[in-house]
């Protein structure tokens, strides 16, 4: 059993490393994934920041937690896109012919995208510091905030993996990813307080997993009540992982 686990973890790491090296060899991929959140951050800070009233007083303090969660959500689209590209090029068939764990291809892809998300998140925090953002609750709670954000992005990478395995086409996977990510992001507390939204949209935003996660991250970073939104966010994360990991593995096995 320990030997089997070692080889499974080894397979996952080999494929994780392969995907990370691809970002180094094709730097445009990493540049694109960093430009978009920086643009959102600058746009909302300087164009809308003066017009939006927030409970935290400082709009940049309110905005950064939403930008971080939004960043990992858009980053999760890359998982489905990468799997669809590998299917399209026949790489998945080559991986399947090798003596490696079935789940290693999917785990390696989601893990590499999670590592990339970590890099982009740290970049957003650095940019935010230059714009005036500060952690109000200390380093310990800041660490929990970032860890929750990373876990949330990891969960949604499996949703994206499922979509990529279903559509099997890179262009379609990208469009399909934006179709479901955009409504969730903009119908959340990422950029504005949900109390300012129309009543029907506010009702949806309050149960939106992004809102629950953003509120938890915001409370960890800035202070405030954490427990309610945190447990609901964790419940969403667990439900997504329990549903989409087995589903994506099953689709992978049938994707020959």
């Amino acid at each position: 059993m320990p030997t089997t686990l070692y080889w499974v973890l080894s397979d996952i790491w080999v494929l994780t490393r392969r995907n990370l090296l691809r970002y180094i060899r094709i730097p445009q991929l990493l540049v694109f994934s960093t430009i978009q959140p920086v643009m959102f951050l600058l746009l909302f800070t300087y164009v809308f920041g003066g017009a939006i009233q927030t409970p935290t007083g400082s709009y940049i303090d309110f905005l950064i937690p939403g930008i971080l969660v939004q960043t990992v959500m858009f980053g999760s689209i890359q998982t489905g896109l990468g799997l669809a590209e590998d299917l399209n090029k026949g790489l998945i068939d080559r991986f399947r012919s090798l003596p490696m764990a079935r789940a290693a291809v999917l785990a390696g892809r989601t893990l590499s995208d999670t590592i990339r998300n970590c890099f982009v998140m740290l970049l957003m925090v650095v940019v935010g510091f230059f714009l005036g953002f500060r952690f109000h609750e200390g380093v310990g709670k800041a660490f929990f905030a970032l860890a929750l954000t990373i876990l949330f992005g990891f969960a949604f990478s499996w949703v994206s993996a499922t979509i990529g395995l279903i559509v099997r086409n890179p262009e379609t996977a990208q469009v399909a990813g934006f179709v479901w990510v955009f409504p969730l992001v903009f119908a959340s507390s990422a950029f504005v307080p949900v109390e300012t939204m129309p009543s029907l949209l506010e009702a949806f935003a309050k149960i939106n997993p992004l809102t629950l996660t953003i509120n938890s991250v915001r409370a960890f970073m800035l202070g405030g009540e954490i427990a309610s939104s945190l447990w609901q966010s964790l419940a969403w994360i667990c439900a997504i992982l329990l549903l989409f990991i087995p589903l994506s593995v099953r689709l992978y096995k049938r994707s020959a």
Side-chain angles (χ1 to χ4, degrees):
M1 182 66 178
T3 303
T4 302
L5 179 61
Y6 169 80
W7 285 114
V8 170
L9 294 176
S10 177
D11 291 342
I12 292 173
W13 171 243
V14 167
L15 289 166
T16 300
R17 185 172 177 272
R18 172 253 178 190
N19 294 327
L20 290 174
L21 287 173
R22 184 167 179 264
Y23 282 108
I24 296 173
R25 291 167 181 165
I26 311 176
Q28 300 96 309
L29 295 175
L30 192 57
V31 169
F32 176 78
S33 63
T34 56
I35 285 178
Q36 185 213 30
V38 170
M39 291 286 288
F40 269 112
L41 181 57
L42 295 176
L43 175 68
F44 278 88
T45 299
Y46 290 114
V47 177
F48 303 113
I52 299 174
Q53 300 298 316
T54 66
T56 62
S58 168
Y59 183 66
I60 188 65
D61 284 345
F62 177 88
L63 181 62
I64 287 294
I67 286 289
L68 292 178
V69 178
Q70 173 247 305
T71 296
V72 300
M73 274 294 290
F74 280 110
S76 70
I77 296 174
Q78 296 298 318
T79 303
L81 178 59
L83 283 171
E85 284 181 346
D86 287 347
L87 276 167
N88 206 251
K89 294 176 180 177
L91 288 174
I92 295 294
D93 291 332
R94 297 180 192 176
F95 290 146
R96 193 180 285 106
S97 67
L98 297 174
M100 63 169 55
R102 289 288 189 181
V105 173
L106 300 176
R109 169 63 63 178
T110 54
L111 184 57
S112 64
D113 289 335
T114 300
I115 294 172
R116 178 185 49 79
N117 274 340
C118 291
F119 168 78
V120 180
M121 280 176 52
L122 291 176
L123 176 62
M124 292 302 100
V125 171
V126 170
V127 175
F129 263 82
F130 280 106
L131 298 177
F133 169 75
R134 296 293 182 270
F135 293 113
H136 292 226
E137 294 293 297
V139 176
K141 287 190 175 180
F143 172 80
F144 282 114
L146 296 176
L148 178 62
T149 307
I150 292 166
L151 183 60
F152 186 78
F154 177 73
F156 273 92
S157 282
W158 286 97
V159 179
S160 182
T162 301
I163 294 172
L165 290 168
I166 291 173
V167 301
R168 302 171 64 93
N169 177 275
E171 291 77 14
T172 308
Q174 187 170 27
V175 172
F178 279 104
V179 163
W180 67 271
V181 167
F182 255 96
L184 286 177
V185 169
F186 286 97
S188 74
S189 62
F191 307 118
V192 298
V194 296
E195 293 77 14
T196 64
M197 298 177 179
S199 56
L200 289 177
L201 187 58
E202 178 184 353
F204 171 77
K206 285 182 175 178
I207 61 172
N208 184 344
L210 264 83
T211 294
L212 296 169
T213 304
I214 290 166
N215 290 347
S216 300
V217 171
R218 201 168 271 145
F220 274 124
M221 290 182 171
L222 308 179
E225 197 274 331
I226 296 175
S228 177
S229 58
L230 176 61
W231 291 118
Q232 292 179 75
S233 173
L234 291 174
W236 270 106
I237 290 170
C238 291
I240 290 167
L241 290 173
L242 288 172
L243 174 62
F244 284 96
I245 289 179
L247 179 58
S248 58
V249 171
R250 187 173 181 180
L251 288 169
Y252 173 77
K253 290 178 179 178
R254 292 183 173 182
S255 62

